């Protein structure tokens, strides 16, 4: 028998907010993003980190639904962390948010399993919408950057050439690079020569600069 005195309501059940992890090395930017996203009724920033090598541990501890990752982070890049999250926390969707809208970065982000790629100069409403959309299974990519990536084509550098270029930064010698990557010095020279040729530059410093400009490393 129904108790007619009990109120009847059509109010839907409450859903928990979308749990977001935010990785950004600039404190002011990180705080602003956390504040703005926190103003959305259905989004909660549950973890903030400033270094790439802190991302996976924070994700394992807080189990976010979406991870917003900058690319250039101390310790480990956001792209490398995205690949780790795909393996370690497969239920977490990754959205790359960066200042550098480089076509090469977009390709690498998609290869790492990211569900979206946006540049930081967009409105917060667009970012909040992207968080919701990637959680719904969509892929969200800045349209201008997507068009640029298609026209630019894939990176001509092999993974090992990229490793050698990165290791040669900050004045590292060929011997230093060989020791770090466990290669012979002649092999390092061959990789550097190939990278210089593919980037149409004159030396390894210029090759690294050009590869970074294009988002290949």
């Amino acid at each position: 028998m129904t108790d007619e005195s009990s109120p009847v309501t059509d109010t839907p059940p409450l859903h928990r907010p979308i749990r977001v992890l935010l990785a950004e090395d600039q404190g002011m930017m990180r705080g602003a993003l956390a504040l703005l996203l926190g103003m959305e009724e259905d989004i909660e920033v549950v973890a903030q980190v400033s270094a790439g090598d802190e991302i996976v541990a924070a994700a394992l501890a807080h189990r976010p639904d979406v991870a917003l990752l900058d690319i250039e982070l101390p310790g480990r890049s956001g792209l490398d962390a995205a690949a780790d999250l795909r393996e370690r926390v497969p239920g977490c969707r990754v959205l790359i948010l960066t200042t550098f809208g480089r076509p090469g970065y977009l390709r690498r982000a998609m290869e790492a399993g990211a569900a979206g790629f946006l540049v930081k100069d967009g409105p917060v409403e667009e970012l909040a919408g992207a968080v919701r959309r990637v959680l719904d299974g969509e892929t969200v990519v800045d349209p201008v950057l997507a068009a640029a990536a298609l026209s630019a084509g894939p990176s001509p550098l092999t993974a090992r050439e990229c490793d050698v270029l990165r290791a040669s930064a900050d004045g590292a010698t060929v011997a230093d690079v060989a020791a770090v990557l466990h290669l012979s010095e002649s092999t390092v020279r061959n990789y550097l020569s190939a990278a210089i040729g593919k980037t149409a530059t004159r030396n390894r410093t210029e090759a690294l600069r050009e590869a970074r400009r294009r988002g290949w490393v």
Side-chain angles (χ1 to χ4, degrees), residues 1-211:
M1 183 174 179
T2 303
D3 181 3
E4 294 183 359
S5 64
S6 299
V8 177
T9 176
D10 293 326
T11 303
L14 294 177
H15 297 286
R16 70 173 180 84
I18 301 168
R19 297 170 61 83
V20 171
L21 180 152
L22 181 58
E24 164 63 54
D25 62 327
Q26 297 183 27
M28 186 176 294
M29 174 66 74
R30 185 173 65 251
L33 286 172
L35 178 63
L36 291 170
L37 287 172
M39 295 173 67
E40 301 289 323
E41 292 184 356
D42 59 340
I43 295 176
E44 178 185 5
V45 178
V46 296
Q48 300 180 47
V49 300
S50 59
D53 49 10
E54 299 172 351
I55 291 171
V56 173
L60 289 169
H62 297 277
R63 295 292 171 175
D65 301 306
V66 178
L68 291 178
L69 309 182
D70 192 7
I71 291 180
E72 297 192 355
L73 294 167
R76 189 167 180 77
S77 80
L79 297 176
D80 291 334
D84 289 342
L85 287 176
R86 179 174 56 184
E87 299 296 326
R88 303 283 302 280
V89 195
C92 177
R93 301 279 282 173
V94 173
L95 181 59
I96 299 294
L97 185 65
T98 182
T99 304
F100 305 102
R102 296 168 182 167
Y105 279 164
L106 173 57
R107 286 183 175 273
R108 290 169 59 199
M110 298 298 104
E111 290 169 359
F117 193 108
L118 296 175
V119 291
K120 292 179 182 177
D121 58 1
V124 68
E125 293 82 5
E126 179 180 323
L127 177 58
V131 168
R132 299 181 185 103
R133 290 169 62 191
V134 298
L135 189 59
D136 285 341
E138 295 184 45
T139 298
V140 182
V141 177
D142 180 275
V144 175
L145 186 58
L150 288 173
S151 64
S155 168
L157 300 175
T158 67
R160 210 49 168 157
E161 288 163 359
C162 289
D163 290 340
V164 169
L165 278 179
R166 292 190 195 98
S168 69
D170 302 322
T173 66
V174 169
D176 293 334
V177 175
V180 168
L181 298 179
H182 306 291
L183 299 171
S184 69
E185 292 186 23
S186 62
T187 299
V188 169
R189 291 190 181 93
N190 288 339
Y191 281 132
L192 287 173
S193 178
I196 291 168
K198 290 177 180 180
T199 54
T201 53
R202 296 173 297 179
N203 54 56
R204 60 179 179 163
T205 301
E206 290 184 1
L208 177 58
R209 185 183 303 119
E210 179 65 10

